[in-house]
Amino acid sequence: MIRLTLYTTLGCHLCTQLEALLTRLCHAPVTLERVEISEDERLMARYGVRIPVLADGEGDELDRGFEPERLRAWLAARGWLDEAAWRLLARELAGEAEPRVARPATLRGGRRYLG
């Protein structure tokens, strides 16, 4: 199980894109803790123009994770990348394969699980 934190705000379409990419590219299930930044002035000052920001358990952050290549590199550095899924996505982005339909996230016990 991969546990990550997503700094976000309500209606963030880039955050939705990031979640869809995580579902596809991680080799293991992802538990995503969403942190709403609009309810905290300190978080707004830190993340307001950077969201979505993804953070791992050590606090290492990724800005603009909705950009597939940035997310690929970040996940690969942590050993979490599904290489076959990345190759397929890269082919889709290049127009060489039909896009895959993303699996929705589920909510269990107040936690959001991707894929």
Side-chain angles (χ1 to χ4, degrees), residues 32-70:
L32 193 61
E33 178 186 350
R34 297 170 69 78
V35 176
E36 175 59 52
I37 67 167
S38 68
E39 299 170 356
D40 183 314
E41 287 183 31
R42 183 181 53 83
L43 292 176
M44 279 296 293
R46 182 172 178 179
Y47 297 111
V49 296
R50 296 174 49 210
I51 63 168
V53 175
L54 196 60
D56 64 13
E58 281 75 48
D60 292 327
E61 296 178 348
L62 172 68
D63 294 358
R64 297 187 329 268
F66 56 87
E67 295 175 2
E69 180 57 39
R70 290 177 59 78

Side-chain angles (χ1 to χ4, degrees), residues 2 6 9 11-12 17 27 33 45-46 48 68 71 75 87 93 110 114:
I2 301 169
L6 176 63
T9 194
C12 175
Q17 289 176 6
H27 69 71
E33 178 186 350
R46 182 172 178 179
L71 181 60
L75 293 173
R87 285 190 298 273
L93 293 172
L114 304 179

